[in-house]
Amino acid sequence: MLTPCTFSIVSALKKTALTVSAAALLPVMIAVPASADGKIDGPDNNQPKPPVSMSTVGGAKLGRAGTQVNLGAGAPVLPKQLSGRSWIVADAESGAVLASHNAHWRLPPASTLKMLFADTVLPKLPKNKVYKVAPTDLAGVGAGSSLVGVKENLTYSVHDLWLGVFLRSGNDAVHVLSEMNGGVPKTVKDMQKHAEELQALDTHVVSPDGYDEKNQVSSAYDLTLIARSGLQKKDFREYCSTVTAKFPGDVQKPKEGEKVEKDKNGQPKRDSFEIQNTNRLLTGAPGVQTYKGIAGVKNGNTTHAGATFTGVAERDGRVLLVTVMNPSSTEGQAVYQETARLLDWGFSAAGKVTPVGELVPPKSARTNASPSPSAVGADSAGTASEPAKLAAANGEGTGGVGTALALVGGVLVVLGGAVFLINRRWPLPDLVRRRPRG
């Protein structure tokens, strides 16, 4: 039995995320059948090869190289035009992994790592807190970084800075928030600890912003797990679904002979400028249509990572998460096109495929019920894998690589100090009718 989320993603997506009212679905691509070994013929054959041995967190099949999918009667075949080195399609609420491709391949994550930064730091800083940026706060921002336009010696609210992180992927905003959290080294340490708590064990954090650094890696599986955790937080949901917002600019210069105008807090009035979300499935772009039901989450692009993206979308009461890493296709905006194809496939295939794995709960989740042997962690023949057997024997997850604890619906779970009935869905409050703005 798969792990249900602790509150309803569907209801949340209907309250706080954006639906682009006139959004047309991206066309469904002609697909080819999966071969017997689960591999899909496509343009990714010349990509670097994944490791022979990968993590089996979430199930044995997720540790295998190549495409993993169990098509049932009436299930659509996977799209042909998929070139990502790694990708995953998962049900955000049940945790079922519907299909994957090299799910645990450890790759550079680019700015999708900012999802882990936000999930770690958002709860620690009140959004109305105001901070004056010191020159040293921006000293560590890497050359060529994406920036929102934070200026030294000016003040910003935490709310402003998070808009800069989510909409413009601003590394300058990340570094300022990191300083507010006690500094970059502490923030990196906090992020790594949180990744381990989430069982995102493919993830190694070197910088909080996802900037290319030696040994900084994550995986499609981990990024999906991290997004699922972040989407439990109201502010995270609202920021990642915001299309445009106003961001504070420079202090207004008074005309000659006039006094500096003050705001309600007695601070010099400042200009502002509009920022737009860089998630092209939210905003659209040349060659990319907005995706019906899209509600976030985060994109990235660096020299070593290529393009990366994790997206969440809701349709007909079902919420799917898709992550695509480093597509090799020369198609324009390929990471968004391939995400859209996988979302289309996932909505069509739901209920017609046997899951190939699951998104595991955090290590701190506890249950007094025995995990079901049929939970993912079991192989396709229904025999529990060694990690599942270990979890069943211990009555809890060990947190090691290859360990997936299947929670049984209806029992109480302690998660991060709070108690939930795990047969309730995650309440992601209404993400699909309102167009949030800053």
Side-chain angles (χ1 to χ4, degrees), residues 51 53-64 103-106 199 201-202 219 221-222 400-403:
S53 178
M54 292 182 283
S55 167
T56 56
V57 170
K61 285 191 173 183
L62 299 182
R64 299 177 188 173
H104 281 291
W105 192 354
R106 303 179 78 193
Q199 299 203 66
L201 303 180
D202 299 322
S219 66
Y221 181 87
D222 280 14
V401 173
T403 301

Side-chain angles (χ1 to χ4, degrees), residues 29-314:
M29 305 307 298
I30 297 172
V32 294
S35 59
D37 63 358
K39 293 182 180 179
I40 303 296
D41 293 328
D44 64 349
N45 292 335
N46 295 323
Q47 289 195 38
K49 302 298 181 185
V52 174
S53 178
M54 292 182 283
S55 167
T56 56
V57 170
K61 285 191 173 183
L62 299 182
R64 299 177 188 173
T67 301
Q68 308 301 320
V69 62
N70 295 324
L71 300 177
V77 293
L78 282 162
K80 182 178 181 179
Q81 292 177 265
L82 299 175
S83 67
R85 290 186 184 179
S86 176
W87 54 258
I88 193 169
V89 184
D91 187 298
E93 294 195 284
S94 72
V97 177
L98 306 184
S100 69
H101 181 77
N102 302 327
H104 281 291
W105 192 354
R106 303 179 78 193
L107 297 166
S111 285
T112 47
L113 193 66
K114 289 182 173 78
M115 295 188 297
L116 178 60
F117 171 71
D119 195 36
T120 304
V121 178
L122 252 174
K124 299 182 178 183
L125 302 174
K127 65 193 303 182
N128 59 352
K129 183 174 181 178
V130 174
Y131 179 80
K132 185 175 181 179
V133 177
T136 53
D137 294 344
L138 303 174
V141 177
S145 287
S146 54
L147 305 171
V148 67
V150 174
K151 304 292 185 184
E152 60 187 55
N153 300 319
L154 293 180
T155 58
Y156 298 86
S157 70
V158 168
H159 174 69
D160 293 331
L161 293 168
W162 282 119
L163 287 170
V165 171
F166 277 92
L167 274 67
R168 294 300 304 166
S169 206
N171 290 4
D172 46 359
V174 170
H175 277 255
V176 173
L177 288 164
S178 296
E179 290 301 326
M180 295 179 71
N181 184 56
V184 168
K186 177 183 181 298
T187 299
V188 167
K189 185 177 179 181
D190 290 348
M191 290 169 65
Q192 190 64 56
K193 182 178 179 181
H194 188 52
E196 291 166 3
E197 156 62 16
L198 295 178
Q199 299 203 66
L201 303 180
D202 299 322
T203 299
H204 180 68
V205 183
V206 179
S207 67
D209 50 22
Y211 190 80
D212 283 336
E213 297 283 359
K214 185 179 179 181
N215 298 323
Q216 180 147 274
V217 291
S218 190
S219 66
Y221 181 87
D222 280 14
L223 292 173
T224 307
L225 207 64
I226 291 162
R228 191 185 189 214
S229 175
L231 288 166
Q232 294 187 62
K233 298 173 177 63
K234 180 182 177 183
D235 287 345
F236 186 105
R237 296 190 299 270
E238 292 183 351
Y239 289 130
C240 78
S241 64
T242 297
V243 182
T244 61
K246 294 292 186 182
F247 193 81
D250 288 329
V251 174
Q252 292 181 355
K253 293 181 179 180
K255 294 179 182 179
E256 188 176 350
E258 292 183 352
K259 292 182 179 180
V260 175
E261 195 175 351
K262 301 292 184 68
D263 63 19
K264 62 182 180 182
N265 297 316
Q267 298 296 316
K269 269 201 169 183
R270 293 162 65 180
D271 293 320
S272 65
F273 56 94
E274 187 172 274
I275 56 175
Q276 184 183 62
N277 203 309
T278 53
N279 174 354
R280 298 311 181 198
L281 292 187
L282 268 177
T283 64
V288 181
Q289 298 180 47
T290 53
Y291 192 86
K292 183 179 179 181
I294 194 73
V297 176
K298 190 70 188 75
N299 57 305
N301 198 319
T302 65
T303 302
H304 295 293
T308 59
F309 180 64
T310 297
V312 62
E314 185 270 342

Side-chain angles (χ1 to χ4, degrees), residues 2-5 90-98 228 355 357-360 376:
L2 295 168
T3 309
C5 296
D91 187 298
E93 294 195 284
S94 72
V97 177
L98 306 184
R228 191 185 189 214
E358 73 162 337
L359 302 177
V360 296
V376 182

